[in-house]
Amino acid sequence: MSSVPGTASVPGATPGPGATPRPRNGSVPLRGYSVVRAGRASFLLHRRSVAVAAGLLVALAATVVAALCLGESTVPPGEVVKVVLGRPSPHELVVGEFRLPRVVVGLLVGLALGLAGALIQTVARNPLASPDVVGVTWGATATVVGLMAYGVVGSTGQAPYAAVAGGLVAGLLVYALAWRRGLHAQRFVLIGIGISVALSSLTSVFLTKGDGFQAQAAKVWMTGSLNGAGYDQAGWLARVLLAALPVALWAARAQRSISFDDATAVGLGLRLDRIRLGMALLGIVLASCAAGAAGPVDFVALMAPQIALRLARSAQIPLFCSALTGALVVVVADLIARRLLAPTELPVGVVTGMVGAPYLMWLLIRSRRGGS
């Protein structure tokens, strides 16, 4: 008798008064989950995760409106809505040309970083793992800074392609070095930290040995900034996210497979190595693209999955909630960066670093107390 994955089959059982109705195929859904059917396919939805995602969408919409309203001149929310909907407004220049592109890029960068962090942490089975920690971000940074410092890349407008290439090479190098008859999570994190340290030292060499003017421009890019971000960055990053959506849906389903220990998963016939490689590759690509669009915005990919996990209280890191959390963190951080020391604007990476560094210390202390 077939049953929906993740449910328990109870043949012949009769539900008592007030019990959860049994589906026609004789399976009883797990507590906290709902079965969604689409033709012959069926899916399990974690109800609390759906509620959290809805709440995050509302919070994100409110934050986007606030980011578009606040600045050197305050724009009423009604006028902001008119501009976003394409209606005539006297504030079209301020909102539509100056603020909206920056907010859209921040939104997309946060989505990419939140999803990338969730995938990397799922593969590594470690809350300390993120593209910042395992070398992906530093690979993108070292590549861009090296090319800019020596005049190969003339401006930050050419940086996205170099960042994507550098991040991919660094991430795949860490994965290859951590491979030994399979991917070992602890080795993956430790080798990633070692590669990050090496690449950060290499970045310092590029900054000191390269052209001074170009090195100064590279330092600005290194902080992670949305200043001057436009629809060019938003367009190609949006296309990357759309192309990654089917793979992300596959990864959300595959999460249950790699939640087992290796012996159990192999005994069930699961191809763990391919699943982990696919999830890690998607996370590396998304983190590299985010770095290419806005520079290395630190700690977002580290914080967002763990915040989403604690909000949803699910067995696995919720990918969609992690992406929304990442977007919310970046948009809020950029709003703070613009208004904290106005009229001086801070890079968004400075704000996320100020919040993320204490969070990383808390995670380390918590891990040590837990004996891991």
Side-chain angles (χ1 to χ4, degrees), residues 11-336:
T14 303
T20 303
R22 186 178 64 189
R24 293 180 180 179
N25 64 353
S27 60
V28 179
L30 293 173
R31 185 176 181 182
Y33 288 82
S34 296
V35 180
V36 177
R37 301 183 185 279
R40 301 179 66 179
S42 58
F43 305 91
L44 282 177
L45 283 183
H46 188 245
R47 290 193 291 270
R48 184 179 175 91
S49 296
V50 174
V52 169
L56 287 171
L57 282 172
V58 172
L60 185 58
T63 306
V64 166
V65 172
L68 295 175
C69 289
L70 301 177
E72 293 185 5
S73 60
T74 302
V75 179
E79 296 297 322
V80 166
V81 174
K82 286 183 180 180
V83 174
V84 173
L85 296 178
R87 297 176 181 176
S89 172
H91 303 280
E92 185 174 355
L93 178 64
V94 173
V95 176
E97 298 295 329
F98 297 154
R99 298 179 187 173
L100 186 58
R102 178 171 181 157
V103 171
V104 171
V105 174
L107 185 69
L108 295 173
V109 166
L111 288 172
L113 288 176
L115 182 54
L119 291 167
I120 297 295
Q121 289 181 10
T122 299
V123 171
R125 297 182 180 179
N126 193 324
L128 296 175
S130 74
D132 314 322
V133 176
V134 300
V136 176
T137 303
W138 274 111
T141 302
T143 304
V144 172
V145 170
L147 294 177
M148 289 183 65
Y150 289 96
V152 179
V153 174
S155 66
T156 54
Q158 299 169 313
Y161 308 103
V164 172
L168 278 172
V169 171
L172 292 176
L173 177 63
V174 172
Y175 195 94
L177 293 176
W179 182 273
R180 187 180 298 173
R181 296 180 182 178
L183 181 68
H184 293 259
Q186 185 176 6
R187 189 184 300 120
F188 180 73
V189 176
L190 292 177
I191 290 177
I193 293 173
I195 294 294
S196 295
V197 173
L199 290 173
S200 66
S201 300
L202 184 62
T203 303
S204 299
V205 172
F206 289 151
L207 290 173
T208 55
K209 298 297 183 181
D211 178 75
F213 179 78
Q214 293 292 342
Q216 187 64 35
K219 285 182 181 179
V220 175
W221 182 87
M222 282 179 61
T223 57
S225 176
L226 296 175
N227 188 24
Y231 289 122
D232 290 339
Q233 294 94 328
W236 69 268
L237 187 53
R239 289 192 291 271
V240 169
L241 286 169
L242 286 175
L245 183 59
V247 188
L249 293 175
W250 163 82
R253 188 177 182 87
Q255 272 186 310
R256 299 177 199 150
S257 303
I258 63 174
S259 62
F260 299 109
D261 61 90
D262 290 1
T264 302
V266 171
L268 292 172
L270 299 173
R271 297 180 176 179
L272 279 181
D273 296 335
R274 293 186 180 183
I275 293 174
R276 286 172 177 164
L277 177 60
M279 295 177 70
L281 186 60
L282 178 60
I284 291 168
V285 169
L286 290 173
S288 301
C289 291
V297 183
D298 293 329
F299 294 112
V300 176
L302 178 72
M303 294 186 293
Q306 294 302 309
I307 294 173
L309 181 62
R310 282 159 176 76
L311 290 174
R313 299 178 187 174
S314 55
Q316 294 90 28
I317 297 175
L319 299 186
F320 187 60
C321 291
S322 298
L324 292 176
T325 303
L328 183 61
V329 168
V330 172
V331 174
V332 170
D334 186 53
L335 178 59
I336 294 172

